[in-house]
Every structure is written in structure tokens, then in C-alpha cells.
Amino acid sequence: MPGRLLRGLEQWWRRYKYRFVPWIALNLSRNPRTLRYVPEEFKDKVISDEDVLETLLKVFQALFMNDFNKQSDILAVLPEPVQSKYQDLLSVQHARANLPECRNHQKVIFKPEEILYKTLGFSVARATSSLVSAGRGVFVTKGSVPKGAVVSMYPGTVYQKYEPIFFQSIGNPFIFRCLDGILIDGNDKGISKVVYRSCTGRDRLGPLKMSDSTWLTSDTQNPLAVGQYVNNCSNGRPTSVTRSWTCLRPSRRS
């Protein structure tokens, strides 16, 4: 029995140590895996930052217009460069609202995943895998995903290379290290959840939160905020989903 327990702990450590920040720091120059070597034909960066931002803006604009009455007051206090992105949409919205056939009809509010499907042609969601011991993952729930499409975001607290993350990394499989050394803690439980909520509470523009915290709950308002649950099948095969690092004003420690 002790031997089986020790073997189980050894197997767990072999998988987990690559997410344990102190071990990564001590073995960075000796272990090729910690360097995240990516063969030329399987580069992480498969689409440009401009394409990523264009897709995200399209989704966020659709979410904004879906709940326009609630969001219009918020837009008024945002910086001018942000407001300009929505001016065309606002003009269309006002024109539709003044049509006789629209005045007496209550606007239907769609769920975020429905907006994602209407905008990009597919929707994704977190779910438990049907495979034994596979845990939770991300699945396409509707439509089909074209090659090169943006399918998710990786939400979480962003840490610079010099910022402490020791305690958050203990037993945490959601620490994602980017090629430039930036760390993202996408765990929605425990101390990681507390740290993120603390950051969002501090990171405000007046009464408005500048970071989305609904991904920590079951009522996620950003349907793309599921990237931390995307799993790679194995080390021996290329992934079906790659991660592209594009900074979008996330919560971070300072």
C-alpha cells in the first residue's frame, strides 16, 4: 500500500511540477519543457494581434447592443477612443428604436452564448468530459469552428516576471506562462479567486469595474472566458487549439 501511494504521488508530481513556479525557476535552464519549445510548424502565434482584437471587438459590440439599455449609461463615462468604436452601432440602434414596429415591442435579451453563436457562428462552454478522469474541458456546443478562429480568452490575474506568485501556484494547475515570462493565474477557486476579486475591486473607473469577474461564477457574461479549461490532448500530438498572447487590460498585481 505505501508503495502504491508513493508511486501515485510521484506520477502526480511529474505532471504538476511544470506548474509549480519555484520548481520552474530552479530548472528553467536545465529542462527543455519549461522553455516551451514550439516546433516551427506548430507555432503558438497562428493569427495576428489585429485579427484577435477585431474578433473580440465584434463579440463585445454584439454583447453591448444585446443589453443596450443597461450599457448605454456606462458608455457615456468611458474615454472618447472607446466611445468612437460604438458610435456607428449607436446610430443604428437609435434608428431601429424609432421604427413604428419596434416601439410597441419589448426587446428580447439573448444569453451570452447565443450572442457568440450569432456573431461567430459557434458557441463554446465548459463541461465535464465523458472520458474517465479527464475532468472538465471546453466543448463546442453549437455550430462549427473554422480554422484560425478565436475560440476563447484566458481570464485571470496577470503577474509580471518579478512579482510573487508562490502561494497561488501551490496545487494550482491554471498557472499559464507566456513565452515572454508573463504568468496568468486562471484559477477560479481558492486564493487565486480572492486575489482576482481584490484586483477588480481596486481597478475601477469611478463606480465602474474595468475587469470582468463573472467568469468566477456560473453566470459568465463573457462567453469566451473559458480558455483556462482548454486541455491539450498529449505531448506527442499537435494541439487543436493554440494560445495567442494578446494583452487586453486584465487585472494584475502591482
Side-chain angles (χ1 to χ4, degrees):
M1 183 67 180
R4 180 181 299 177
L5 179 61
L6 290 174
R7 286 194 297 271
L9 288 174
E10 183 181 7
Q11 291 176 356
W12 173 83
W13 173 247
R14 286 177 180 174
R15 295 191 301 268
Y16 170 68
K17 63 184 179 182
Y18 300 106
R19 309 236 182 208
F20 187 57
V21 174
W23 185 90
I24 293 174
L26 292 173
N27 293 271
L28 189 61
S29 62
R30 295 193 295 271
N31 194 296
R33 182 171 174 178
T34 65
L35 298 177
R36 291 196 68 235
Y37 168 73
V38 180
E40 185 68 24
E41 64 271 26
F42 300 131
K43 280 186 176 180
D44 279 5
K45 200 86 167 179
V46 294
I47 56 177
S48 67
D49 288 348
E50 290 74 17
D51 291 337
V52 172
L53 293 174
E54 181 181 354
T55 299
L56 295 181
L57 182 60
K58 185 186 301 184
V59 174
F60 294 157
Q61 286 178 333
L63 290 170
F64 176 86
M65 298 308 298
N66 179 58
D67 198 9
F68 175 77
N69 291 332
K70 183 178 179 180
Q71 302 294 339
S72 57
D73 293 337
I74 296 177
L75 183 64
V77 300
L78 293 179
E80 181 61 34
V82 177
Q83 292 189 36
S84 64
K85 299 288 185 180
Y86 291 85
Q87 291 305 317
D88 292 341
L89 291 174
L90 291 175
S91 300
V92 173
Q93 178 68 19
H94 288 311
R96 289 177 178 176
N98 291 326
L99 291 176
E101 60 269 25
C102 295
R103 290 174 182 172
N104 298 324
H105 290 79
Q106 186 174 2
K107 188 180 187 311
V108 177
I109 304 298
F110 294 97
K111 295 180 179 179
E113 56 269 25
E114 295 173 329
I115 295 297
L116 181 62
Y117 175 71
K118 290 175 177 292
T119 306
L120 300 184
F122 63 86
S123 59
V124 294
R126 291 178 292 181
T128 302
S129 175
S130 59
L131 301 177
V132 179
S133 301
R136 290 170 65 80
V138 176
F139 299 86
V140 178
T141 57
K142 191 175 182 181
S144 59
V145 181
K147 183 178 179 180
V150 176
V151 296
S152 66
M153 299 173 64
Y154 200 103
T157 306
V158 176
Y159 291 83
Q160 302 293 333
K161 292 180 284 187
Y162 53 82
E163 293 180 312
I165 193 175
F166 174 80
F167 291 106
Q168 296 92 313
S169 71
I170 297 176
N172 185 356
F174 295 100
I175 300 291
F176 177 67
R177 185 165 66 87
C178 304
L179 287 172
D180 57 4
I182 297 293
L183 298 170
I184 306 176
D185 183 3
N187 196 352
D188 55 5
K189 299 178 179 62
I191 188 174
S192 300
K193 181 177 181 179
V194 173
V195 170
Y196 188 90
R197 284 197 181 279
S198 175
C199 291
T200 57
R202 179 194 63 191
D203 194 13
R204 289 172 174 264
L205 177 63
L208 305 177
K209 289 184 178 180
M210 292 293 97
S211 301
D212 172 42
S213 60
T214 63
W215 65 274
L216 298 171
T217 70
S218 59
D219 186 26
T220 303
Q221 296 303 302
N222 178 3
L224 291 174
V226 295
Q228 74 276 40
Y229 282 93
V230 173
N231 296 318
N232 294 338
C233 57
S234 69
N235 292 331
R237 298 180 181 179
T239 60
S240 57
V241 177
T242 61
R243 293 185 172 117
S244 178
W245 167 242
T246 302
C247 183
L248 294 171
R249 188 67 172 87
S251 285
R252 59 175 295 276
R253 298 279 293 175
S254 62

